[in-house]
Amino acid sequence: MAEANQQQPEEDVTLPRAALNKMIKELLPNVRVANDARELILNCCTEFIHLISSEANDVCLKRDKKTISPEHILAALDSLGFGAYLEDCRGVLEECKTVAAKKRRQSNRLENLGIPEEELLRQQMELFAKAREEQAAIEQQEWVQLQAAQAAQGQTVQQQQQQQQPGGQQVSIATAAVAPQQAQVPPEGPS
């Protein structure tokens, strides 16, 4: 099993092609770049990242650290002969720190309100109760409208039935309902 894993080639991890294409388009908007050239740029970027990562790992190990920090990356750039880019890299690092700090501040917005969590929970429960009351009122109003519509429909049906009775006799529903009840009165038996 271990031999099978060793025989399979490692998957090459590269930069996303879409990100690379976007960078090329932003840097060279009026230049067409062939697909072979794009592939070469992608491979060079990947190799550069591997080189910097490996050197930064060596710097990290020499300093008896277990995590590669930005300082290790900057030291790796300097030791590989890219010292001219250190100031630009530091500027980008500061921008990244600023963006990260801004994201943290936004994520802690509730904590920065100065309102205790219990108070926020109480306010939330009040809003839920208000929403339930409003929903109940809407449902009650819909029920009343439905009842009114059914009553109007019932009156229309009653009027149509009255018009259709032979001989023009008009019998109200109330009278029709009382008549069967009178017929159901049990006869008085022998006492």
Side-chain angles (χ1 to χ4, degrees), residues 1-189:
M1 184 85 173
E3 291 176 16
N5 288 340
Q6 290 174 356
Q7 291 175 356
Q8 293 177 350
E10 291 183 19
E11 290 185 24
D12 288 336
V13 179
T14 61
L15 294 173
R17 293 188 196 292
L20 178 71
N21 290 336
K22 184 179 177 185
M23 287 191 309
I24 291 172
K25 193 171 190 174
E26 287 176 2
L27 294 172
L28 305 169
N30 299 324
V31 177
R32 291 186 64 204
V33 180
N35 286 337
D36 292 345
R38 289 177 191 268
E39 194 68 29
L40 179 61
I41 293 170
L42 182 67
N43 289 335
C44 288
C45 290
T46 302
E47 188 60 34
F48 180 74
I49 291 170
H50 284 291
L51 179 67
I52 296 296
S53 299
S54 177
E55 186 66 26
N57 189 46
D58 292 344
V59 170
C60 181
L61 291 174
K62 286 178 187 174
R63 296 182 182 178
D64 293 328
K65 301 290 182 179
K66 293 182 179 180
T67 304
I68 297 174
S69 69
E71 291 76 24
H72 299 140
I73 301 291
L74 294 172
L77 284 170
D78 192 34
S79 69
L80 290 171
F82 295 105
Y85 297 102
L86 289 178
E87 287 306 312
D88 291 337
C89 290
R90 285 188 181 103
V92 169
L93 177 61
E94 288 305 314
E95 286 178 30
C96 290
K97 286 181 179 180
T98 303
V99 169
K102 185 177 179 180
K103 284 183 181 179
R104 279 193 303 272
R105 281 194 302 271
Q106 288 176 347
S107 68
N108 295 334
R109 216 170 61 206
L110 281 178
E111 295 171 6
N112 294 336
L113 286 176
I115 301 173
E117 188 174 339
E118 294 80 20
E119 176 63 20
L120 290 173
L121 185 60
R122 186 191 63 74
Q123 290 176 3
Q124 181 184 34
M125 297 306 284
E126 285 178 3
L127 290 172
F128 285 157
K130 183 179 177 184
R132 280 191 293 272
E133 289 173 6
E134 289 174 359
Q135 184 63 33
I138 290 170
E139 289 173 0
Q140 177 68 22
Q141 185 178 11
E142 289 173 353
W143 185 81
V144 168
Q145 289 174 350
L146 178 65
Q147 293 298 321
Q150 288 177 344
Q153 184 180 12
Q155 288 177 351
T156 303
V157 169
Q158 180 184 6
Q159 289 172 356
Q160 289 174 352
Q161 287 175 348
Q162 287 175 356
Q163 291 173 355
Q164 292 175 356
Q165 285 184 353
Q169 295 176 349
Q170 292 188 356
V171 178
S172 71
I173 292 179
T175 307
V178 171
Q181 288 178 353
Q182 292 172 349
Q184 293 177 357
V185 175
E188 289 185 25

